[in-house]
Amino acid sequence: MSFWWIYPVLVTLCTLFYSQALRTYPSNEVMKSDALHPCVLTSCTVTLLDSMSALGDLGWVAYPPEGWEEISVMDERNTPMRTYQVCNVLEVNQNNWLRTSWIPRGGAQRVYIEIKFTLRDCNSLPGVSGTCKETFNMYYFESNYGNLQHIPENQFIKIDTIAADESFTQVDVGDRVMKLNTEVRDISNLYKKGFYLAFQDVGACIALVSVRVFYKKCPTTIRNLALFPDTVTGRDSALVEVKGSCVNNSVEFDAPKMYCSADGGWLVPIGRCFCKLGYEEKKNRCQPCLPGYYKALLTDALCAMCPAHSFSLQDSSTECTCEKGFYRAEMDPKSAACSRPPSAPHNPISTVNETSVIMEWSPPEDSGGRKDVTYNIHCRRCQPEGQKCSPCGSGIHYIPWQFGLSHPRVLITDLLPYTNYTFDIEALNGVSELSSGPKQFISVKITTSQVVNVILKERKSKDSVTLAFQGPEKTKDAVVEYEVIYYEKNQKEQNYTILKTKSTFMTVDGLKPGTTYVFRVRAHTVGGQGIYGGEIELETSTEDMIAITDPNQITILAISVAGGIILLIFLVTCFFVSGRHCGYIKAKQDPDEDKMHFQHGRVKLPGSRTYIHPHTYEDPNQAVRDFAKEIDVSSIRIERVIGAGEFGEVCSGRLKLPSKREICVAIKSLKVGYAEKQRRDFLGEASIMGQFDHPNIIRLEGVVTKCKPVMIITEYMENGSLDSFLKKHDGQFTVIQLVGMLRGIASGMKYLSDMNYVHRDLAARNILVNSNLVCKVSDFGLSRVLEDDPEAAYTTRGGKIPIRWTAPEAIAYRKFTSASDVWSYGIVMWEVNSYGERPYWEMSNQDVIKAIDEGYRLPPPMDCPVVLHQLMLDCWQKCRSDRPKFGQIVNILDKFIRTPSTLNELANSSTWQDPNMQEAFTVTSVEEWLEAVKMTQYIEHFTMAGYVTLDSVLYLSNSELTKMGITLTGHQKKILSSIQNLQALGTHVQI
Ligand code: ACK
């Protein structure tokens, strides 16, 4: 054995040690001492074995003895390090085993093994062809016992064959070039207490520099005030559902829950706790409100300062007490300022009209700090001398009402004529009744009157008239006498005569014939003297005559005319209102809804065709005849069953049409004993498919309806459905191939949306793949969404919907549009990039709906380009008009294909932060900061450029980052925006 190959190991060890020092994998101890370590947001790893940290011999078992050899080398600090090496490259049939000591599993079901090794390039070794290998194998054996002496080789389970990404040559040894390989593998479904690892060399020249075994866990974290404990990740890619418990002084609002992903990251926070009353949320804890502050609502995050005229003297107050003389009404929120009763109203103005009065006033100068000032009117009737008053009693009317007036105005009617009244206008507000202080009011005194009705009784002669008097009607006080004032009209009031009578009529003599006189009358009662009534004009006759005129008749006529006009106005108004109503109904039509209305017969739009729904045909068989070709059953040869559909078997076979080449086809048949509706629905799919002609839509060859079984014949897609195809070929395609598939699907969907066809069940399981990896949209069944799809679940509205693929508006109120198809397309993108992973993993449908509503979106699948995940997020915009159209998606994907470098930057799940999961935490060094922003690859760049303290990075610019060798724009942006946060928050980094 020669050790000429040891040099590269030593060269690499320095670098390895250096990076080891910078690596911040929190160990178990660290986690115990600090429950909320900075790894809070990233996954934590718990190391089960680290060969680099062994102080003495590793004590691993090597057999045969001339195989693997343990060698101690010194790192640059002269600390001995254990490595295992083997290099029997000249001898044939090597089978050298190296078995580790027993590694306890520590509760993990899935562990990771990170090995660092160097490997010699066989081509650089003379005379070894045929014997030299460039790979080795890694195995494990599960056991509950840690002291097994011998484990037969055939008991080990193979993990993988490990090949070097980089092997070194003699030249590298001379140049001391680092060629260290790092590989990580994992073992799932461990169930025994521990396991052994083994490395099998079959003739390579290897130095095993370090072996680290670890598992991942989701670290203790507090989210939405719920504490989620350290959780070991599940087996395979399963999510572990974890229930959170509310932190001290908080209460559960909606059961908090999160999922621990296989990567050790927390996903999908749902539900939350709130700080209880009197406590506020600060740094993920609930802290008491300080004196002078309070918190009265559970859903308020923070304590608020006591509102005006209130105070709190204690910690954790749930409300503030009002100052003396101030009150809080029963319905007032705790956040309202304390208030007091208003001052009295002022500036009253009263306008008396006979026995009614309009009173107006100005609102109180001090409203008491409230907006709910109202007014009460209190009425007193007073003696003529003015002093003695008594309550008015009933019979008086207040318009709009007497108590609780919100406007400073009231009309009071039905007062007694010739009476003195005093009205107290009182101002009140919501706290008036809580105050024991005096009422706040202003008094208004008025005296009523009433006009006497005058009736022309007789115009007996050309020089006299007889007038009769009526009223005042409502006065209880007897009329003492009537006073008549009259004058010639053309002389105005300069020359008038006053006559008085105690009787209810009066004859006025001595008038000029053929002359117009003006009469006005007033009454005197014991209550006082009234006002003159309106002017009455009478013309004496030129000859003696008898005439009776009742002015009330004129009034009646006027009322009839006015009533007619009002009726007319009412009718006209009704007419307009009903007209508006019709207009409104028409305007309510949703333009989107138009798409859902299909017309019989093909509608040609310029440059596009509109799909015709088979249900618009009275005879569905006619739709089949119109859109699907009838195939003679003798041209079909069925070869084998390939699956089962909703209506029967799916077979593959061949179709040979006259004067056409034989082609492979898929044959869907309708099982025997079908109902007529099933036949209609089965053939409905053919009527739909037959209308499409596009390279990314499954092509209908024809139907067999004239004999049984009824069949639908389509082109054959060699690779079957996309979801199972991807699962079968996990990780085997280049990004460009995946984008090519997605581009095809988007192009098919663009065609469908241009034809106004809404698919409603776009999912990888409904895409078929042919031998050239061309993807085609399929599954156009009529009852598809209701019956066929195993993913479809009943919604609260009774419909059956594939929840995980469906846009929120379609789930909530069945708003299926091309925009909801775009949402589903985003999910298909995610399925494609994760090679058929189930969207939202094992989460329940209810949790998915809730999480989406709370803003959660699927993280990027492993190794997914940033730009593709961004496109997915665009498809999952809550507002459907914000989502891209299929045409735009096709253009975007075309650009990616033309410029593949746009796909270089990967957004793997650990670097992408769900915006929901953003949180600030403390960093104390440049390394910690770069780790927090997931930019550890640049630690060395910063150190080399001399940026070793956090202060020193605060003012970095784009150009400085470029100079340091950080050239990716996305990374520059991320670092600079984090620097802005550092500036704003000190050492609190918001990620
Ligand atoms: O995933 P698969 O292999 O692809 O299993 C299902 C099964 O039939 C039931 O639908 C397959 N299938 C359906 N249509 C076609 C087709 N045109 N070409 C090939 N396979 C098809 C589908």
Side-chain angles (χ1 to χ4, degrees):
M1 169 154 347
S2 63
F3 289 102
W4 41 259
W5 45 273
I6 195 77
Y7 293 106
V9 178
L10 289 174
V11 174
T12 57
L13 286 181
C14 304
T15 324
L16 177 70
F17 186 84
Y18 177 67
S19 63
Q20 179 90 355
L22 293 175
R23 202 165 60 177
T24 47
Y25 288 114
S27 68
N28 256 342
E29 288 69 23
V30 175
M31 291 303 295
K32 265 185 226 140
S33 64
D34 182 2
L36 293 178
H37 191 267
C39 69
V40 160
L41 289 172
T42 57
S43 65
C44 271
T45 55
V46 179
T47 303
L48 296 172
L49 169 87
D50 189 351
S51 67
M52 296 279 283
S53 59
L55 296 175
D57 276 359
L58 285 168
W60 294 356
V61 181
Y63 50 93
E66 64 278 12
W68 291 90
E69 230 182 321
E70 181 168 359
I71 298 205
S72 280
V73 290
M74 295 293 176
D75 68 22
E76 60 179 10
R77 294 182 193 171
N78 267 348
T79 311
M81 294 177 58
R82 306 286 157 183
T83 66
Y84 278 93
Q85 306 176 1
V86 63
C87 193
N88 299 344
V89 283
L90 294 169
E91 293 148 52
V92 291
N93 296 334
Q94 290 299 302
N95 185 19
N96 304 311
W97 284 74
L98 172 66
R99 197 195 84 194
T100 65
S101 47
W102 186 69
I103 306 166
R105 162 166 82 92
Q109 290 175 298
R110 181 184 198 173
V111 296
Y112 296 82
I113 303 120
E114 180 200 70
I115 49 175
K116 292 183 188 280
F117 62 96
T118 58
L119 196 133
R120 178 70 191 244
D121 181 351
C122 286
N123 288 333
S124 72
L125 294 169
V128 296
S129 74
T131 54
C132 179
K133 303 282 184 314
E134 289 188 356
T135 60
F136 62 99
N137 300 317
M138 187 156 66
Y139 295 85
Y140 76 103
F141 171 73
E142 267 200 275
S143 170
N144 287 327
Y145 307 102
N147 53 358
L148 296 184
Q149 294 303 312
H150 176 69
I151 306 165
E153 286 164 18
N154 62 6
Q155 298 284 299
F156 279 94
I157 298 168
K158 185 165 173 180
I159 301 171
D160 205 358
T161 296
I162 313 286
D165 289 335
E166 303 216 58
S167 51
F168 64 89
T169 63
Q170 190 66 45
V171 180
D172 299 325
V173 176
D175 293 350
R176 302 172 71 83
V177 177
M178 184 187 82
K179 290 282 172 81
L180 187 71
N181 295 284
T182 303
E183 294 288 330
V184 180
R185 297 290 183 278
D186 63 86
I187 324 173
S188 286
N189 297 327
L190 291 174
Y191 65 98
K192 292 196 178 166
K193 283 186 188 156
F195 57 94
Y196 297 86
L197 287 179
F199 302 92
Q200 182 198 25
D201 162 55
V202 287
C205 196
I206 327 155
L208 203 51
V209 176
S210 107
V211 177
R212 199 168 72 85
V213 181
F214 59 93
Y215 66 83
K216 294 184 181 179
K217 64 178 183 176
C218 297
T220 301
T221 189
I222 293 177
R223 173 85 39 218
N224 296 336
L225 288 178
L227 180 78
F228 294 87
D230 257 5
T231 304
V232 177
T233 54
R235 60 193 156 72
D236 300 330
S237 58
L239 299 186
V240 180
E241 185 183 315
V242 184
K243 296 208 175 350
S245 52
C246 293
V247 300
N248 283 347
N249 294 315
S250 71
V251 286
E252 192 171 298
F253 181 72
D254 192 2
K257 181 156 98 174
M258 267 213 284
Y259 292 87
C260 174
S261 75
D263 287 339
W266 288 107
L267 290 174
V268 207
I270 301 176
R272 64 166 300 127
C273 306
F274 280 113
C275 288
K276 65 184 191 187
L277 303 188
Y279 287 80
E280 66 182 342
E281 189 173 338
K282 253 188 203 155
K283 296 184 181 157
N284 279 330
R285 290 193 170 78
C286 291
Q287 297 184 349
C289 300
L290 298 173
Y293 288 79
Y294 76 106
K295 196 186 99 168
L297 277 181
L298 201 60
T299 48
D300 281 349
L302 297 176
C303 301
M305 237 179 4
C306 283
H309 305 295
S310 70
F311 61 91
S312 71
L313 300 174
Q314 311 272 319
D315 269 357
S316 47
S317 297
T318 58
E319 65 178 293
C320 299
T321 314
C322 289
E323 288 167 8
K324 199 157 177 257
F326 287 86
Y327 310 89
R328 191 172 280 130
E330 204 183 326
M331 301 301 281
D332 282 354
K334 302 276 164 53
S335 56
C338 292
S339 48
R340 59 182 170 190
S343 57
H346 62 123
N347 291 340
I349 300 167
S350 57
T351 314
V352 180
N353 184 7
E354 298 188 53
T355 53
S356 43
V357 57
I358 293 172
M359 283 197 286
E360 288 171 288
W361 56 92
S362 300
E365 271 164 359
D366 174 11
S367 68
R370 307 184 61 92
K371 292 200 171 98
D372 57 355
V373 175
T374 57
Y375 309 94
N376 288 346
I377 310 294
H378 302 280
C379 170
R380 284 176 289 149
R381 201 172 146 207
C382 303
Q383 297 292 316
E385 307 79 57
Q387 296 319 314
K388 256 183 106 191
C389 298
S390 55
C392 296
S394 57
I396 298 174
H397 291 105
Y398 298 83
I399 296 165
W401 42 76
Q402 184 179 6
F403 301 111
L405 291 163
S406 47
H407 294 289
R409 186 174 202 273
V410 68
L411 166 65
I412 305 168
T413 63
D414 301 309
L415 297 167
L416 296 173
Y418 311 109
T419 308
N420 294 324
Y421 286 97
T422 299
F423 292 100
D424 296 335
I425 306 167
E426 181 193 9
L428 302 108
N429 65 16
V431 295
S432 293
E433 62 181 19
L434 300 173
S435 156
S436 51
K439 284 187 172 178
Q440 297 296 320
F441 63 89
I442 187 165
S443 299
V444 182
K445 292 184 176 171
I446 62 149
T447 304
T448 55
S449 63
Q450 197 173 45
V451 183
V452 175
N453 276 340
V454 180
I455 299 165
L456 170 61
K457 271 276 205 210
E458 283 176 337
R459 211 184 313 217
K460 255 193 214 152
S461 65
K462 47 192 182 185
D463 59 357
S464 74
V465 293
T466 300
L467 304 172
F469 311 120
Q470 255 181 9
E473 281 159 13
K474 286 183 213 129
T475 177
K476 289 197 197 100
D477 304 323
V479 174
V480 178
E481 62 180 1
Y482 293 101
E483 181 183 299
V484 177
I485 182 169
Y486 71 93
Y487 47 86
E488 271 181 55
K489 188 182 176 189
N490 55 12
Q491 298 209 346
K492 301 271 165 131
E493 289 161 61
Q494 294 147 358
N495 199 0
Y496 60 85
T497 308
I498 293 179
L499 299 173
K500 292 183 181 175
T501 178
K502 291 196 166 61
S503 157
T504 53
F505 62 89
M506 172 191 279
T507 299
V508 183
D509 297 315
L511 303 174
K512 293 181 191 161
T515 307
T516 303
Y517 287 88
V518 175
F519 298 85
R520 297 182 72 186
V521 182
R522 70 177 177 184
H524 289 257
T525 69
V526 287
Q529 181 172 276
I531 52 165
Y532 282 112
E535 295 176 348
I536 300 165
E537 289 183 16
L538 292 172
E539 190 183 348
T540 48
S541 57
T542 44
E543 287 169 36
D544 285 351
M545 57 181 286
I546 294 175
I548 297 173
T549 311
D550 185 346
N552 287 343
Q553 285 170 358
I554 297 165
T555 312
I556 289 164
L557 178 67
I559 288 171
S560 309
V561 172
I565 291 169
I566 289 167
L567 185 67
L568 186 64
I569 291 170
F570 174 75
L571 289 174
V572 169
T573 310
C574 286
F575 175 76
F576 279 113
V577 168
S578 65
R580 271 174 59 98
H581 187 64
C582 297
Y584 175 71
I585 285 174
K586 225 177 163 179
K588 253 194 85 162
Q589 281 184 359
D590 184 343
D592 269 2
E593 223 80 284
D594 288 346
K595 277 194 178 177
M596 314 296 285
H597 298 166
F598 306 104
Q599 281 178 336
H600 198 279
R602 285 181 188 229
V603 181
K604 285 256 182 198
L605 296 176
S608 76
R609 261 191 329 122
T610 300
Y611 139 85
I612 299 152
H613 196 282
H615 279 170
T616 57
Y617 276 81
E618 247 169 61
D619 172 12
N621 291 319
Q622 186 55 44
V624 182
R625 285 193 291 276
D626 276 4
F627 299 121
K629 186 166 70 187
E630 180 71 28
I631 291 179
D632 192 303
V633 74
S634 64
S635 6
I636 302 164
R637 197 171 76 235
I638 296 177
E639 286 177 337
R640 62 189 175 89
V641 179
I642 54 171
E646 184 204 346
F647 297 97
E649 283 172 342
V650 184
C651 299
S652 64
R654 284 166 188 279
L655 172 70
K656 173 73 187 88
L657 291 175
S659 68
K660 289 247 171 95
R661 276 220 327 247
E662 187 177 77
I663 55 165
C664 289
V665 285
I667 304 143
K668 279 190 187 179
S669 48
L670 178 60
K671 57 187 166 233
V672 285
Y674 54 82
E676 184 48 33
K677 179 176 181 310
Q678 284 176 312
R679 181 180 189 276
R680 227 182 307 135
D681 286 352
F682 176 73
L683 288 173
E685 179 170 16
S687 317
I688 296 169
M689 226 189 302
Q691 299 180 48
F692 304 141
D693 178 16
H694 188 272
N696 296 103
I697 307 290
I698 195 81
R699 193 182 63 249
L700 176 75
E701 296 296 345
V703 289
V704 176
T705 62
K706 301 235 160 83
C707 63
K708 286 186 181 167
V710 175
M711 293 185 244
I712 297 176
I713 320 293
T714 63
E715 66 179 306
Y716 181 64
M717 301 292 283
E718 293 81 352
N719 281 313
S721 60
L722 179 60
D723 63 334
S724 38
F725 174 66
L726 288 169
K727 281 179 202 149
K728 208 154 69 193
H729 298 278
D730 192 358
Q732 292 177 8
F733 299 115
T734 62
V735 171
I736 289 292
Q737 281 176 308
L738 296 180
V739 175
M741 293 182 204
L742 289 172
R743 197 258 177 220
I745 302 167
S747 172
M749 288 308 298
K750 176 185 181 310
Y751 174 83
L752 292 181
S753 66
D754 286 348
M755 285 191 72
N756 288 344
Y757 179 80
V758 179
H759 190 288
R760 296 180 177 217
D761 196 10
L762 179 59
R765 63 184 169 280
N766 289 329
I767 304 292
L768 291 166
V769 189
N770 73 9
S771 55
N772 296 322
L773 292 194
V774 175
C775 288
K776 307 201 180 195
V777 182
S778 81
D779 201 349
F780 301 97
L782 285 181
S783 58
R784 170 191 79 238
V785 175
L786 293 176
E787 311 294 341
D788 184 21
D789 191 336
E791 281 295 347
Y794 284 100
T795 64
T796 45
R797 288 169 68 106
K800 227 181 158 195
I801 284 175
I803 301 290
R804 282 150 215 273
W805 282 263
T806 306
E809 74 276 5
I811 296 175
Y813 51 97
R814 305 198 127 251
K815 187 76 192 166
F816 286 96
T817 57
S818 290
S820 64
D821 277 353
V822 166
W823 178 290
S824 313
Y825 178 81
I827 303 288
V828 172
M829 286 186 74
W830 193 89
E831 290 183 277
V832 168
N833 280 280
S834 60
Y835 284 92
E837 177 72 276
R838 179 168 168 72
Y840 311 98
W841 310 275
E842 296 82 25
M843 285 170 65
S844 70
N845 280 341
Q846 272 319 308
D847 280 355
V848 171
I849 293 173
K850 211 163 157 193
I852 292 298
D853 187 49
E854 289 178 14
Y856 173 79
R857 296 294 183 268
L858 283 166
M862 209 166 70
D863 295 337
C864 173
V866 173
V867 288
L868 287 185
H869 186 240
Q870 188 51 54
L871 186 54
M872 294 177 205
L873 295 173
D874 293 343
C875 294
W876 302 328
Q877 287 283 344
K878 192 178 178 74
C879 172
R880 64 179 194 277
S881 58
D882 291 345
R883 297 173 203 152
K885 306 280 175 291
F886 279 114
Q888 292 169 307
I889 295 175
V890 172
N891 292 341
I892 292 169
L893 294 177
D894 278 344
K895 266 192 206 142
F896 295 161
I897 293 168
R898 275 199 306 272
T899 327
S901 60
T902 46
L903 298 161
N904 286 352
E905 194 189 344
L906 301 185
N908 84 43
S909 9
S910 59
T911 59
W912 184 72
Q913 279 297 322
D914 176 354
N916 273 347
M917 304 278 278
Q918 290 197 355
E919 187 176 292
F921 67 86
T922 311
V923 291
T924 53
S925 65
V926 174
E927 288 85 44
E928 269 182 18
W929 164 60
L930 288 172
E931 193 180 357
V933 292
K934 305 281 186 312
M935 289 279 135
T936 40
Q937 67 269 44
Y938 296 125
I939 290 179
E940 226 176 304
H941 295 66
F942 278 81
T943 321
M944 302 295 270
Y947 294 104
V948 285
T949 64
L950 275 180
D951 286 349
S952 64
V953 303
L954 286 181
Y955 301 100
L956 278 176
S957 65
N958 261 339
S959 59
E960 275 150 336
L961 290 179
T962 312
K963 266 188 233 151
M964 284 162 61
I966 305 172
T967 47
L968 284 179
T969 333
H971 290 184
Q972 286 188 350
K973 268 192 196 153
K974 198 165 178 185
I975 290 171
L976 289 175
S977 83
S978 169
I979 286 177
Q980 276 176 6
N981 287 331
L982 275 179
Q983 289 167 344
L985 298 163
T987 50
H988 284 75
V989 180
Q990 186 89 32
I991 62 170

